[in-house]
Structure formats: structure tokens, C-alpha cells
Amino acid sequence: MIDARRLRTLRAVADHRTVTAAAAALYLTPSAVSQQLAALEQEVGHRLLVRDGRGVRLTAAGEILVRHSHAVLAQLERAEAELAAYGAGAAGEVTVVSFATGIAAVVAPAMASLAGTAPGIRMRVRDAEGDESLMMVLDGHADLAVAVEYRGAPREDDQRLARVPLYAEPFDAVLPRGHRLAGSARVSVADLADEPWIGPYPGNPCHDVVVLACELAGFQPVMAHSSDDFRAVAALAGAGAGVAMVPRSALRGVDLPDVVVLPVAGVPATRRVFAAVRRGAEEHPLLRPVLDALRAAAERARPSASG
């Protein structure tokens, strides 16, 4: 009989690529993870991992077992959801991780809505970027993530996660007020090819969106300054340090005396935001109301996010 806990351990190693990182994610010691993997190999009668440089990689048997682990663990999530619905009703705590503007745009409004419609649900909110938040859900450190599409993100058909689309918003160009294009109705990304750029650090999903937009316009941006705080990005642009592209909602309500914010010509870069839970948990009586409240908050915010 294959132990489901050991399947979870194997999947964590597959996700994190090292025993040490998987152990940290699971709050176990590396030796405990190694023992679980050795026991799992004995259970199935196949070697599941081999060393690969400083990390490990799955063998063919390991790939097969991880593929099946997605279905097994999702079914266990469904079983827990049904038992919770049978036994308790909607009362308990849900840990939600989201990037900062996602908290402002949908998480906080959803929390306010749930206070009236499902007062037994307590949301615990943590600030985390999309690439970090999805792994927190998979590792069991959070129940739900509000995240952004980025290069390398789990695909929509990923068997580990169930996703709910929330909203999409374009990126606008941020230029110093004295910039040669500041008086334009809109600006082309290609027109900014020779400018120094200001943007988020690599790893931030918005960094990927900006870099990809520039590559599609035929150039590689020179990132002269970096900050994950879009107010800081705007302040640097206002000081003449360079140009930037930021999601439309990121600077809403911020005083911007030294910059102009212009729409981008053509098809603009877009931030696509979604909620994600572990597959099988989407009907859990604590998570379903939160997902519905997030979707309703996104629907209310959609006109201002796109216009």
C-alpha cells in the first residue's frame, strides 16, 4: 500500500528539486525526507530519484508516480472537502496569499463581503508575489493564492492546482514629465528602446511581463534601477532616472506630480490575475465562499481595472 504522505513528500522534492528545499517546505528534516523517500521506493519497488548536480531528478518510475500523485492528492482534498461540508459547515480560517495590489483590488473587498455573508469564515492574509504564493499553496503553507500569470507559472491544465480567473489589466507607460513623448496620447514600447528602464526585480511576475513586451517590440530593456514597489518606480521615473511600465491599478490613488502615465499603443502588456487552490479543494466549504467572493470583487472592480 502506497502511503499518501510519502507521495506528498515525493511531489515536494519534484517541485523544489532538492531534498533540503523540500524538507524546509514540509517543515521536516532532510533526513526525515530521505527516510520517507527510501520507504516509498521500497513500497513501489523502483528507484524514484537520482542525483543531478547539486539536486535530484526523477527517474522514469518517479515521473510516473508523481503524475499519479496529482490525482491521488486531489482526491484526498475532495474527500476532506466533503467531510468538512458534512460535519461543520462554513466556519474556520482560510490563509490567503496575494501580491499587494491584488490585496487592495480583490482580497480586501472579498474580506469585507464575507464579513456579512459568511461571518464564520476568517481570512488570514499574507503578502507574497505570484511565483512565491503558488508554491506556498502547493506546500500547504496557504490555502488560496491570488497570483499573476508569468513565464514558468503552472499552466491552466496543471494537475496540482485548480484556478479561477479574476481580472486582467493593461500596463501603462510611466515617463518623466519632461520626457520628449510626455505630450503624446499614447506611447509605443518600441519608442522607448533606447531609454534606461525602471522595474521590478527578476522573479517578480511583472518583470517578466515588461521584459517580454520589450522583446516583442524588438529590444532587450536595460534595467537601470529595480524596485518591487511601484510607487518607488514612479518616484524614480519622476526624478528622470528612466521609464517604466506598470499595471494600471498599481498607481491608482497615488499622487504623481513628476510623471505622466500614458496608455501603450497596440496590444498592451497585460497582467492576468487568478485565484488558485490545491486541486480537489475548490469545493471545500471554507474555500468555495472565498473563491466566490474574490470573483465577485473582481467583477465589481473590472470596469476601473480596464479603463
Side-chain angles (χ1 to χ4, degrees), residues 34-87:
S34 295
Q35 288 170 12
Q36 289 198 25
L37 294 172
L40 183 59
E41 288 183 330
Q42 192 167 16
E43 284 176 345
V44 301
H46 294 281
R47 192 174 185 186
L48 302 174
L49 295 163
V50 293
R51 290 204 168 277
D52 186 17
R54 295 186 178 182
V56 292
R57 62 178 173 82
L58 295 169
T59 63
E63 293 278 4
I64 291 170
L65 194 55
V66 165
R67 200 161 57 242
H68 283 286
S69 77
H70 300 329
V72 171
L73 295 174
Q75 192 60 40
L76 286 174
E77 292 281 357
R78 292 187 189 98
E80 290 182 10
E82 286 191 30
L83 286 170
Y86 172 79

Side-chain angles (χ1 to χ4, degrees), residues 174-193:
V174 180
L175 311 178
R177 191 159 290 279
H179 192 275
R180 58 189 171 82
L181 298 174
S184 305
R186 57 188 59 240
V187 63
S188 166
V189 177
D191 289 338
L192 304 174

Side-chain angles (χ1 to χ4, degrees), residues 96 102-125 289-290 292-294 296-297 300:
V96 178
I103 293 174
V106 293
V107 176
M111 179 184 287
S113 173
L114 285 170
T117 60
I121 297 178
R122 301 182 306 279
M123 287 175 63
R124 180 170 174 256
V125 180
V290 177
D292 290 343
L294 287 168
R300 292 192 298 271

Side-chain angles (χ1 to χ4, degrees), residues 158 163 188 225:
D158 191 294
R163 295 175 23 156
S188 166
H225 308 280

Side-chain angles (χ1 to χ4, degrees), residues 38-290:
L40 183 59
E41 288 183 330
Q42 192 167 16
E43 284 176 345
V44 301
H46 294 281
R47 192 174 185 186
L48 302 174
L49 295 163
V50 293
R51 290 204 168 277
D52 186 17
R54 295 186 178 182
V56 292
R57 62 178 173 82
L58 295 169
T59 63
E63 293 278 4
I64 291 170
L65 194 55
V66 165
R67 200 161 57 242
H68 283 286
S69 77
H70 300 329
V72 171
L73 295 174
Q75 192 60 40
L76 286 174
E77 292 281 357
R78 292 187 189 98
E80 290 182 10
E82 286 191 30
L83 286 170
Y86 172 79
E93 183 175 89
V94 175
T95 299
V96 178
V97 286
S98 172
F99 58 100
T101 49
I103 293 174
V106 293
V107 176
M111 179 184 287
S113 173
L114 285 170
T117 60
I121 297 178
R122 301 182 306 279
M123 287 175 63
R124 180 170 174 256
V125 180
R126 298 178 62 184
D127 188 336
E129 290 299 335
D131 54 335
E132 180 186 2
S133 65
L134 293 176
M135 195 55 66
M136 290 172 71
V137 169
L138 288 172
D139 289 338
H141 302 328
D143 302 304
L144 186 153
V146 174
V148 179
E149 289 284 4
Y150 61 95
R151 283 196 274 196
R155 295 174 14 159
E156 289 188 38
D157 60 355
D158 191 294
Q159 293 303 300
R160 300 169 299 169
L161 294 168
R163 295 175 23 156
V164 174
L166 293 178
Y167 65 92
E169 61 175 332
F171 279 58
D172 291 327
V174 180
L175 311 178
R177 191 159 290 279
H179 192 275
R180 58 189 171 82
L181 298 174
S184 305
R186 57 188 59 240
V187 63
S188 166
V189 177
D191 289 338
L192 304 174
D194 297 326
E195 304 278 354
W197 282 75
I198 311 159
Y201 286 100
N204 184 313
C206 289
H207 174 91
D208 289 346
V209 173
V210 171
V211 170
L212 180 59
C214 293
E215 290 174 351
L216 290 174
F219 69 97
Q220 189 74 29
V222 176
M223 288 292 177
H225 308 280
S226 298
S227 174
D228 287 333
D229 185 330
F230 289 115
R231 291 171 300 179
V233 169
L236 287 168
V243 300
M245 285 200 303
V246 304
R248 181 160 292 170
S249 67
L251 299 178
R252 187 171 294 123
V254 178
D255 187 25
L256 302 169
D258 300 319
V259 300
V260 292
V261 180
L262 299 175
V264 175
V267 179
T270 301
R271 172 159 74 172
R272 302 187 186 280
V273 180
F274 61 93
V277 298
R278 291 181 294 278
R279 189 171 290 275
E282 57 268 33
E283 295 303 327
H284 192 286
L286 293 180
L287 294 180
R288 184 77 263 165
V290 177

